[in-house]
Amino acid sequence: MGDKLMTNAYLKTAFQNWMSKQKKSNGDLYKSGTISSYSNALKNSTIKLKLSDLEHTDLFYYSSSAEFAQVYNQIISAPNFKDVDSAGNKAYSNALALYSKFLAEYDGTAIDEVKVSKASFIQWFAPLINALRELGGSATPEKARDQIARDLNLGSDVVTETRGKTGGKKFANEVAWARNYLAYEDLIDKSVRGVWTLTPKGMEVELTDEMASEIFFKWVNILKERREGNPDPTTMQNQSDKRLYWMYAPGEGSNMWNEFYDNGIMGIGWDELGDFKQYPTKESMKEKMKVIYGKEYSYKNTGHATWQFANEIKIGDIIFVKKGIKKIIGRNDYLMGGNQISVKTLDLGAEWTEIKTQLEGVAAMIAI
């Protein structure tokens, strides 16, 4: 499939090439006219939904299955989605399903086709480890970045370069991404907020480019398994004891934020399901959704979210409250203590902390 995981990849041609090799349910290959129709739908239909929170309406700019999963949920939840889809004889919904499958393969096959990743933030793995060592094994993010800049003689053009609509600092953002992957690998301890500390393993490791790529690809696949709800018992061993980071939207457009903030709770809706704890499995929860809300949807993502809400968020986890894709409006250390105050709300046991800021790359902190 050519170059993988390149920053700012535009995947229209790659998708078309991939689709030309796929077979329909009757065994026939897709014709060029269908490929063109689906490509046009992915490129031009989303703007008709008028979703202000999307960074891109041309969906070929989304090259990560994790990021696209969030976008996909917003798209199909749009009030006029069915109208837009029907106007194009459902080319839009069919194309969305195929693009999601394409991105899953795009993520999953990368490890076999590329030995050294081209994801730009990987270049900071080794420099970050070395910088923390020079600083005695522990430092604030700012001091760690300053040390990297000194070690590598980085110019101000690199350190101050911005990206995206919010003008976030590219260097700081990429170093933060590097820190997250190194923490996944237990090379950096991030249990103390605002302090990055090398673990004993991190103090000893000597990272090569190939090792950095192996870490990256390893965790791309592990996180993909987590999203799909199929954790591998070998790769996920001992992960249950680690603090997880969750992204949460309090209602459509975060319209319930003030109420939840004042009451110190988080709610997820789906009241008709009753007490989420009554369902023994994720599948049983999804089957009940089909009975209540209709069988035309799989409820894969919704069932996953409600199951995690009831069964996987644990004491010590961190919850970020989002508005749209990148705007973070609150943060909470989850201290429920087992007290569920209704079927759809959890008592957080601690006041929310409003931070009202823009974070680039916040998806790197999600462990779901």
Side-chain angles (χ1 to χ4, degrees):
M1 287 179 57
D3 290 339
K4 300 288 183 169
L5 296 168
M6 294 183 66
T7 304
N8 299 324
Y10 186 74
L11 300 181
K12 181 178 179 180
T13 300
F15 172 73
Q16 291 175 330
N17 291 338
W18 173 86
M19 189 175 168
S20 69
K21 300 173 184 177
Q22 305 305 304
K23 292 183 179 180
K24 297 184 288 185
S25 58
N26 63 3
D28 294 338
L29 294 171
Y30 287 97
K31 296 180 180 179
S32 60
T34 304
I35 295 174
S36 177
S37 175
Y38 283 17
S39 297
N40 287 336
L42 292 170
K43 180 177 176 65
N44 300 316
S45 293
T46 306
I47 195 171
K48 300 173 185 177
L49 302 178
K50 298 180 180 179
L51 298 172
S52 59
D53 289 339
L54 291 187
E55 184 175 4
H56 305 291
T57 56
D58 182 345
L59 301 183
F60 290 117
Y61 281 107
Y62 296 103
S63 57
S64 159
S65 59
E67 185 179 23
F68 186 70
Q70 298 182 55
V71 173
Y72 179 84
N73 287 336
Q74 288 185 268
I75 288 173
I76 64 174
S77 299
N80 60 334
F81 170 72
K82 289 185 178 180
D83 293 336
V84 172
D85 189 33
S86 297
N89 295 318
K90 296 194 173 181
Y92 189 27
S93 57
N94 290 334
L96 289 168
L98 277 175
Y99 196 63
S100 181
K101 180 181 178 182
F102 161 72
L103 287 179
E105 294 186 17
Y106 184 82
D107 284 347
T109 58
I111 191 167
D112 296 323
E113 299 187 18
V114 184
K115 287 186 178 180
V116 177
S117 170
K118 295 183 179 179
S120 60
F121 67 87
I122 290 179
Q123 68 183 303
W124 308 118
F125 278 27
L128 177 55
I129 293 287
N130 294 334
L132 290 174
R133 280 200 196 111
E134 293 179 61
L135 293 168
S138 183
T140 63
E142 182 179 6
K143 288 183 178 179
R145 292 193 299 267
D146 289 345
Q147 187 65 47
I148 292 173
R150 286 194 295 270
D151 290 344
L152 301 181
N153 294 316
L154 300 179
S156 60
D157 56 330
V158 175
V159 175
T160 62
E161 181 183 356
T162 60
R163 67 191 303 177
K165 296 179 181 179
T166 62
K169 296 289 182 63
K170 180 181 178 182
F171 173 61
N173 174 243
E174 291 187 346
V175 173
W177 276 69
R179 184 285 305 258
N180 286 328
Y181 276 80
L182 294 172
Y184 294 153
E185 191 64 14
D186 196 31
L187 298 175
I188 290 179
D189 177 3
K190 60 176 183 178
S191 61
V192 179
R193 187 181 179 189
V195 179
W196 298 352
T197 302
L198 290 177
T199 64
K201 181 180 175 182
M203 289 294 290
E204 298 294 330
V205 71
E206 294 295 337
L207 278 180
T208 64
D209 288 343
E210 186 171 354
M211 288 171 62
S213 289
E214 288 175 356
I215 291 171
F216 172 73
F217 288 131
K218 169 186 173 181
W219 284 98
V220 163
N221 288 329
I222 290 175
L223 296 176
K224 179 174 179 286
E225 291 290 337
R226 287 183 185 176
R227 291 193 304 272
E228 295 175 352
N230 301 309
D232 177 79
T234 301
T235 56
M236 296 299 294
Q237 186 176 8
N238 297 326
Q239 291 302 311
S240 61
D241 294 332
K242 292 189 176 181
R243 171 180 289 175
L244 300 183
Y245 293 76
W246 303 82
M247 191 70 74
Y248 166 70
E252 184 176 355
S254 298
N255 63 341
M256 299 297 293
W257 168 239
N258 289 334
E259 178 181 338
F260 289 172
Y261 178 80
D262 290 340
N263 290 284
I265 62 173
M266 59 187 291
I268 197 171
W270 304 94
D271 297 28
E272 292 87 350
L273 289 174
D275 188 344
F276 292 170
K277 291 288 188 179
Q278 69 182 291
Y279 301 98
T281 66
K282 191 186 302 182
E283 288 303 317
S284 64
M285 189 175 278
K286 289 190 286 187
E287 287 303 314
K288 186 64 173 179
M289 288 179 177
K290 291 179 182 179
V291 172
I292 297 173
Y293 304 108
K295 297 182 178 180
E296 62 269 29
Y297 302 110
S298 69
Y299 301 99
K300 177 180 178 181
N301 294 320
T302 302
H304 188 53
T306 50
W307 177 263
Q308 289 182 316
F309 184 86
N311 298 285
E312 296 184 12
I313 301 178
K314 64 182 186 299
I315 295 173
D317 286 357
I318 301 297
I319 301 163
F320 286 95
V321 186
K322 76 185 183 83
K323 183 175 184 179
I325 292 179
K326 291 185 176 179
K327 189 173 185 180
I328 306 302
I329 57 176
R331 176 188 184 277
N332 175 265
D333 291 57
Y334 182 56
L335 302 170
M336 181 185 71
N339 181 28
Q340 189 167 340
I341 61 175
S342 79
V343 298
K344 66 166 188 165
T345 60
L346 298 177
D347 183 357
L348 291 166
E351 290 188 3
W352 289 100
T353 301
E354 286 191 273
I355 55 178
K356 292 184 178 178
T357 185
Q358 296 283 342
L359 296 181
E360 296 247 350
V362 73
M365 295 187 289
I366 305 174
I368 61 175

